Amino acid sequence: MNITKETKLKELLTEYPWLKDEIVKVNDKFRMLNTPMGKIMLGKADIAEMSKKSGMDADTIISKLTELIRNH
């Protein structure tokens, strides 16, 4: 899967279900994805939105997610 700034988080987690538990390694703020509010956000959030919410650069998030997937 090619991850871009427009990639929806839900698409990533459908393709790589284990990533939901591992994504906190990218940024601790992603821990909120396991909350009721986070579950609502899953359907809407893309990498660009994750970047805004976490304060991380989108390209850094993409790089770290790609590395997690490659190493899994």
Side-chain angles (χ1 to χ4, degrees):
M1 172 179 222
N2 184 32
I3 304 172
T4 67
K5 292 176 185 176
E6 292 79 31
T7 300
K8 296 283 187 193
L9 183 55
K10 187 173 184 171
E11 293 170 9
L12 271 175
L13 296 179
T14 299
E15 184 80 19
Y16 311 103
W18 54 267
L19 194 56
K20 188 172 183 183
D21 295 326
E22 298 285 315
I23 202 164
V24 296
K25 293 178 181 176
V26 174
N27 188 310
D28 194 53
K29 290 183 180 179
F30 297 147
R31 191 173 305 280
M32 64 83 61
L33 294 172
N34 292 316
T35 66
M37 181 58 135
K39 290 176 182 164
I40 293 169
M41 294 295 296
L42 282 177
K44 301 175 183 177
D46 59 15
I47 300 296
E49 184 70 23
M50 291 171 67
S51 171
K52 289 179 200 169
K53 298 285 185 193
S54 68
M56 285 180 72
D57 179 66
D59 292 328
T60 302
I61 293 173
I62 293 168
S63 173
K64 290 187 178 281
L65 288 173
T66 302
E67 184 180 332
L68 273 176
I69 292 165
R70 192 177 316 122
N71 292 334
H72 188 273

